[in-house]
């Protein structure tokens, strides 16, 4: 588990790494945002930030020394674009899961409709409905097991729905674009500032 002290120390190290390399990365921004979020939550709860700790003093010193360089390195628009570009695989997975969920729902509805026709219609209507269902399913179905197939397609539909929800959650979890705003490093400094 990451302690607040170690998180502050990691962000301080990120400042030195950014200044040395001339690059402020998305990962650095996400880490800084999470630290600021923790510090603000502590402030709201009335818990004092560790302003007297060695880690806090180290952060304040690093930020004071390199504020101007950091201001030139931190590009919120570039970070946001990088974060959004990282979502492409998640978006594709969500689209694919959505298509599969729709196909499974349509197949289940068709199976229910076929079962209803099989229970109430004549031989020609039953055979036509069964052919439609077989074509949609992509494999041969036994006519005496249509009721079982309705239950099976329901299970497939629920499985596809869960996969779609999981893909939505993965996309939501991977979206860090909202963390790419300016003033995060300064916000941390303000929370750690000695009053």
């Amino acid at each position: 588990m990451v302690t607040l002290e170690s998180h502050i120390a990691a962000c301080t190290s990120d400042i030195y790494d950014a200044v040395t390399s001339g690059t402020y990365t998305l990962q650095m921004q996400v880490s800084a945002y999470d630290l600021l979020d923790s510090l603000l939550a502590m402030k709201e709860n009335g818990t004092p930030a560790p302003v007297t700790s060695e880690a806090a003093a180290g952060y304040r010193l690093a930020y004071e020394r390199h504020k101007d360089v950091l201001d030139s390195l931190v590009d919120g628009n570039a970070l946001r674009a990088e974060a959004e570009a990282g979502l492409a695989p998640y978006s594709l997975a969500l689209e694919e899961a959505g298509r599969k969920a729709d196909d499974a729902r349509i197949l289940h509805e068709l199976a229910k409709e076929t079962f209803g026709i099989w229970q109430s219609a004549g031989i020609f209507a039953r055979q036509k409905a069964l052919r439609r269902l077989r074509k949609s399913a992509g494999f041969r179905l036994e006519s005496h097991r249509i009721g079982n197939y309705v239950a099976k397609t329901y299970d497939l539909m629920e499985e596809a729905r869960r996969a779609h929800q999981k893909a939505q959650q993965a996309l939501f979890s991977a979206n860090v674009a909202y963390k790419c705003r300016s003033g995060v490093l300064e916000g941390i400094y303000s929370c750690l500032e000695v009053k």
Side-chain angles (χ1 to χ4, degrees):
M1 183 177 162
V2 178
T3 65
L4 186 61
E5 296 282 320
S6 63
H7 200 166
I8 294 169
C11 285
T12 304
S13 177
D14 286 347
I15 288 175
Y16 288 120
D17 290 346
V19 169
T20 303
S21 68
T23 306
Y24 186 77
T25 66
L26 179 61
Q27 186 56 43
M28 291 174 180
Q29 176 70 13
V30 169
S31 179
Y33 182 93
D34 291 343
L35 174 58
L36 178 59
D37 192 45
S38 296
L39 291 170
L40 291 174
M42 288 174 67
K43 189 176 183 180
E44 284 180 17
N45 293 337
T47 308
V51 294
T52 57
S53 74
E54 185 178 320
Y59 182 90
R60 287 194 312 269
L61 180 63
Y63 183 78
E64 287 168 358
R65 282 186 182 165
H66 302 292
K67 179 186 181 322
D68 294 335
V69 176
L70 291 169
D71 287 345
S72 67
L73 289 178
V74 178
D75 181 357
N77 291 331
L79 291 170
R80 203 170 296 109
E82 183 182 345
E84 288 170 1
L87 294 177
Y90 295 98
S91 295
L92 289 174
L94 180 60
E95 282 181 35
E96 179 65 22
R99 272 194 298 277
K100 286 181 179 178
D102 287 344
D103 290 347
R105 183 187 50 76
I106 290 168
L107 184 60
H108 177 64
E109 292 299 321
L110 185 57
K112 286 191 328 187
E113 180 183 318
T114 301
F115 183 71
I117 291 170
W118 200 261
Q119 300 290 54
S120 61
I123 186 83
F124 294 113
R126 289 164 56 180
Q127 290 303 322
K128 182 179 176 182
L130 185 58
R131 277 194 304 274
R132 240 177 63 216
L133 181 59
R134 285 176 177 162
K135 183 178 178 184
S136 183
F139 55 89
R140 181 155 174 77
L141 301 170
E142 298 177 37
S143 59
H144 64 282
R145 296 192 176 225
I146 292 176
N148 292 351
Y149 194 65
V150 172
K152 178 65 177 169
T153 57
Y154 178 80
D155 292 342
L156 292 173
M157 179 181 72
E158 284 299 303
E159 183 180 316
R161 185 187 60 77
R162 283 191 299 274
H164 184 249
Q165 287 177 336
K166 188 176 178 181
Q168 281 178 322
Q169 187 60 40
L171 176 65
F172 179 74
S173 297
N175 186 3
V176 293
Y178 69 95
K179 296 182 178 185
C180 299
R181 60 185 180 103
S182 60
V184 172
L185 297 174
E186 184 178 1
I188 294 169
Y189 177 80
S190 296
C191 286
L192 297 177
E193 191 173 20
V194 178
K195 305 292 188 246

